Amino acid sequence: MPTGTLGVNRGAGGLPSAHTSGIVTHMMYEKSHQAFQRARQLMPGGVNSPARAFGGVGGEPVVIDRGQGPYLFDLDGNRYIDLIGSWGPMILGHAHPAVIEAVERALRRGTSFGAPTLAENELAEMVVEAVPSIEKLRLVNSGTEATMSAVRLARGYTGRPMIIKFAGNYHGHVDSLLVAAGSSAATLGVPNSPGVTEGAVRDTLVLPYNDPAAAKAAFARDGQRIAAVIVEPVVGNMGCVPPATGFLELLRDLTTKHGALLILDEVMTGFRVAYGGAQSLFGIRPDLTTLGKIIGGGLPVGAYGGRADIMDHVLPAGKVFQAGTLSGNPLATAAGVATLRVLRDTNPYPRLEQLSSRLADGFQAAASGAGVPAQVGRCGSMMTLFFTDQPVTDWETASKCDTRRYAQYFWGMIHRGVYPPCSQFEALFLSTAHTDADIDAIVAAAGQSLKEIDQ
Ligand code: HOZ
């Protein structure tokens, strides 16, 4: 038995063993532990993306063997009700038969051609039909590529240098946007990463989210130099923080008035909070939209799209350069089309809303029952349990949350077979595979876990 196995998976949040005796045994995470030790020798921090390293809650990640429906199974055979859904894409749950079948069919026909395919038309068509502001789009391979390309296009189209972003919003690891960034950049304390030069962010202006006065002042001062505002319409990357009433409308008005573009980063919210994304929910028509996650059905995909007259500035129709060997990949487009078809044909959003509101109420009741001050931030099936007694509306308020308590809650949930986001500054996601019984089990686990929290 390697020393520290149990300790490691109790987390730096430090659940006293008395709280978990009878639940945790040394062998429960042994294979994960062994695999992660090897991973640490092979990859920086043992992971291929820092968000999954459990750095915000301490300890080692469990290593996943497979997923089925709403469940994840780790190498030791422990089952978890999955609340991250691969950080958003798995809205149909894991290994959905329609997605598996579509990918298998595509796989037999070849995995990449570097040439146009019909499946690209199909996915693009479905996106254009679902999101009226997107008249044309370009498929890429990740959300980061989508936002990076949208920003370049906005600058190329307007001939202006400045981009406005909001503190605690995260738009992938694009140099010019990796400033005051949320998600793992915030979790791991590098909101402004070494390696991003002053020059790369010289034209990036960071404003507080949900602050109309700051946005108005920025446009009054720099209106003629601003190429675009990029914003998560519902922030998922400082935990889930919906927009204040009128905030997105104000950004639309200011950008229109000053000849700047409005870019809605819907990598997380696209096809998640509604089939037409957050823009359909809030009635905002952006100039450009970025997508990812759900439109790839769990395979690597991103997209940026919007007004045809702007998109026609992208090479080879126009002069703004952007390219990709695997863009529009046949497996990814097949998974995306299959996922969107299920969403379009079954309209699961009312049901997701019902499940999510039950979960939010359950969290709130569990927190009150345990005497732990907490707030639930939610939009549709994305939400966050914030450990604070103050409403969370921006990065200033999100960053005041008690991350130590979050870590204790997180490990309590893991030990009870529920897998929440491993950071206070991420959202959880429900899927169509979750049942009422799963919600009851999550709420029961939360009730017990919250009662164990040090006061
Ligand atoms: N974009 C994801 C949610 N913040 C995180 C995924 C990752 O960085 O690995």
Side-chain angles (χ1 to χ4, degrees):
M1 171 67 51
T3 56
T5 304
L6 176 61
V8 161
N9 274 319
R10 283 164 56 205
L15 281 179
S17 56
H19 290 163
T20 52
S21 59
I23 302 170
V24 183
T25 71
H26 281 70
M27 295 309 289
M28 276 182 77
Y29 305 107
E30 185 57 25
K31 287 184 181 155
S32 275
H33 174 67
Q34 295 297 342
F36 192 64
Q37 290 311 304
R38 181 66 183 132
R40 287 170 69 176
Q41 294 163 347
L42 297 166
M43 292 165 279
V47 290
N48 284 309
S49 188
R52 61 187 74 160
F54 285 22
V57 291
E60 286 179 3
V62 291
V63 176
I64 301 304
D65 180 41
R66 67 191 175 90
Q68 186 62 56
Y71 305 119
L72 291 176
F73 298 85
D74 70 18
L75 292 182
D76 294 279
N78 300 306
R79 192 194 81 168
Y80 307 91
I81 301 175
D82 181 18
L83 289 181
I84 67 165
S86 189
W87 305 102
M90 311 314 298
I91 193 168
L92 302 181
H94 297 282
H96 189 282
V99 178
I100 298 295
E101 202 209 319
V103 174
E104 278 179 355
R105 213 178 320 119
L107 186 59
R108 284 192 208 96
R109 300 167 68 87
T111 53
S112 183
F113 312 118
T117 61
L118 196 55
E120 291 162 86
N121 287 12
E122 282 172 356
L123 183 55
E125 191 100 55
M126 292 192 80
V127 171
V128 164
E129 272 171 16
V131 187
S133 73
I134 302 183
E135 296 164 355
K136 275 192 181 177
L137 70 151
R138 171 63 63 83
L139 295 174
V140 292
N141 299 292
S142 68
T144 292
E145 272 188 61
T147 55
M148 175 182 72
S149 309
V151 163
R152 184 182 305 141
L153 174 58
R155 285 172 163 158
Y157 173 80
T158 59
R160 299 174 178 184
M162 276 180 75
I163 301 292
I164 289 181
K165 81 166 286 276
F166 296 94
N169 282 214
Y170 175 74
H171 306 288
H173 56 95
V174 181
D175 277 11
S176 64
L177 301 174
L178 203 51
V179 45
S183 190
S184 45
T187 302
L188 302 173
V190 284
N192 310 299
S193 170
V196 174
T197 62
E198 268 176 40
V201 294
R202 185 175 301 127
D203 292 317
T204 305
L205 181 62
V206 180
L207 299 181
Y209 185 71
N210 277 336
D211 183 339
K216 284 182 200 159
F219 271 95
R221 195 177 52 241
D222 289 314
Q224 291 311 302
R225 298 186 67 236
I226 297 170
V229 173
I230 184 165
V231 62
E232 288 185 78
V234 177
V235 188
N237 287 295
M238 52 185 167
C240 181
V241 181
T245 307
F247 183 63
L248 297 175
E249 290 82 347
L250 174 73
L251 298 181
R252 178 65 285 181
D253 288 350
L254 288 171
T255 45
T256 304
K257 188 162 146 220
H258 292 270
L261 303 186
L262 179 63
I263 306 172
L264 290 192
D265 182 348
E266 296 230 46
V267 169
M268 218 176 243
T269 53
F271 298 89
R272 162 63 62 183
V273 297
Y275 189 67
Q279 55 194 275
S280 74
L281 212 55
F282 296 104
I284 302 292
R285 192 177 176 101
D287 301 296
L288 294 175
T289 298
T290 56
L291 294 168
K293 300 200 189 271
I294 288 176
I295 64 158
L299 275 83
V301 161
Y304 64 106
R307 278 169 39 196
D309 64 310
I310 300 174
M311 289 305 293
D312 280 338
H313 283 250
V314 178
L315 206 73
K319 291 203 166 63
V320 176
F321 190 87
Q322 183 270 309
T325 299
L326 292 170
S327 294
N329 174 266
L331 302 188
T333 46
V337 167
T339 300
L340 297 197
R341 273 201 191 123
V342 174
L343 294 175
R344 182 193 61 192
D345 297 347
T346 63
N347 184 21
Y349 297 97
R351 169 75 182 146
L352 282 170
E353 173 62 29
Q354 209 180 44
L355 282 177
S356 305
S357 99
R358 274 195 62 218
L359 180 57
D361 291 348
F363 275 147
Q364 207 75 77
S368 311
V372 174
Q375 315 277 323
V376 177
R378 181 173 82 86
C379 184
S381 56
M382 53 191 278
M383 80 179 81
T384 297
L385 179 59
F386 288 111
F387 286 80
T388 173
D389 55 4
Q390 299 299 314
V392 176
T393 57
D394 56 11
W395 176 241
E396 167 85 12
T397 43
S399 63
K400 294 204 166 78
C401 288
D402 189 332
T403 52
R404 194 175 143 275
R405 284 185 172 177
Y406 187 88
Q408 291 183 328
Y409 149 81
F410 171 84
W411 283 107
M413 297 295 269
I414 287 286
H415 294 321
R416 292 180 171 86
V418 182
Y419 192 114
C422 53
S423 165
Q424 174 70 99
F425 308 121
E426 298 282 5
L428 70 77
F429 301 94
L430 289 183
S431 75
T432 59
H434 287 101
T435 63
D436 284 302
D438 292 322
I439 301 299
D440 292 341
I442 298 162
V443 171
Q448 293 163 355
S449 302
L450 288 164
K451 282 195 183 118
E452 291 171 352
I453 282 182
D454 298 339
Q455 296 296 325

